[in-house]
Amino acid sequence: MADLYHTKQRFYLGAYKSIVESPLPDESSSEYQAVLTYKARSYLALNDPKSALKLLPEGTENAGLKAVGSLARYLASEGSGDTEAALEELRDLAVEIEGDDVEGTEEDKALVRVLAATAFARAGEVEEALETLGSETEDLEAVAVIVQIYLSINRPDLAKKQFDRSKNWAEDDLLLQLIESNIGLVTGKDNYSNTYSFYTEQIGNPTLVSPHLLTARGITRILRGDVQESKSDLEESLAQQPDDVETQAAYVVAAELGALKRPEADELWSKFASQHPTHPMVVDLNGKSDLFDQCAANFPLPPAASTVSA
């Protein structure tokens, strides 16, 4: 049976499969709804919004559970161009929780902000996401999302300011350490030593280890120049979750840096690029390749000099 403390830890560290495979507490338990919420959110993290929706009680008026449902509908509609209805649901919820008649605790209201901001950020509405979370929030999960948004727009300085601010009121818990490690992964502070130590420590706990952690350490090892060591982490992660696109991308990078022989690396890249043409790494590399060709066209090579015999 899942308990809230360990469920929360596993969720933060990306052990989503273990959460969805664990039974819920008894419905009479004080932890039932919170664990149910993490289980539904784990389905969302595994890109399975339909299972999340099936798990949620019909007709719930709880603000947090309603937000999970709205985010599930948003994720299910991504790619179809029909996402606006779900975004409007989340906008309405974000307004409703400011009133006094909404059903839910302060934790539920904080969850609404986190899930709404997650959808807004995915939709490219970065300013709306940050405004929804609030720059002075004292909800640590909200801070984690703010930090991720700042890192995604290449503003690690603002991400670090949020982290430093949160240290004044947040307990030194797992999520705070994870936030610090994410910032370290982007900034490369001290050769990624803190980030590497954090992931290695968590992987050492068999109850918390997840493909997410293995991928994170594998990427850290790539950045530290330990390419062969990263290969083992990424292969282990792919064995557990073969369809994870970000792990596949990291494995392609490791292969191109020497983890695999050149023909194998080239074949792996061609396969990844054809299967995921809209992945940022593929788009970026194709854009740079096109730019190189355009620049090269401005410098035509002169004809080869012929040898004249005496």
Side-chain angles (χ1 to χ4, degrees), residues 215-291:
T215 297
R217 189 174 71 173
I219 292 171
T220 306
R221 282 176 154 168
I222 290 174
L223 294 169
R224 285 163 61 93
D226 302 327
V227 177
Q228 288 300 329
E229 290 82 354
S230 75
K231 177 174 175 284
S232 61
D233 277 345
L234 297 172
E235 286 179 340
E236 187 176 349
S237 179
L238 287 170
Q240 298 179 38
Q241 201 164 303
D243 296 329
D244 186 77
V245 178
E246 295 311 316
T247 306
Q248 293 175 11
Y251 192 63
V252 168
V253 172
E256 292 288 347
L257 291 175
L260 298 179
K261 295 179 179 178
R262 174 50 54 190
E264 295 174 306
D266 290 343
E267 181 181 354
L268 191 65
W269 164 251
S270 297
K271 181 180 178 181
F272 181 81
S274 64
Q275 291 180 343
H276 307 287
T278 60
H279 188 277
M281 184 171 71
V282 177
V283 172
D284 183 59
L285 189 60
N286 287 341
K288 287 182 170 60
S289 178
D290 291 342
L291 182 61

Side-chain angles (χ1 to χ4, degrees), residues 135-199:
S135 60
E136 299 302 316
T137 178
E138 292 194 3
D139 176 68
L140 196 54
E141 193 169 349
V143 172
V145 178
I146 292 172
V147 165
Q148 286 296 324
I149 291 173
Y150 280 141
L151 293 178
S152 73
I153 60 174
N154 198 29
R155 290 304 304 268
D157 56 323
L158 297 180
K160 188 175 184 304
K161 283 184 179 179
Q162 276 291 325
F163 170 70
D164 290 339
R165 183 184 66 83
S166 67
K167 288 192 296 183
N168 295 325
W169 49 264
E171 297 180 4
D172 185 22
D173 68 0
L174 183 67
L175 185 52
L176 192 65
Q177 296 175 52
L178 181 60
I179 292 170
E180 183 179 22
S181 295
N182 288 340
I183 295 172
L185 191 61
V186 172
T187 60
K189 182 180 178 182
D190 299 327
N191 192 31
Y192 309 96
S193 58
N194 179 70
T195 301
Y196 177 78
S197 297
F198 173 77
Y199 291 133

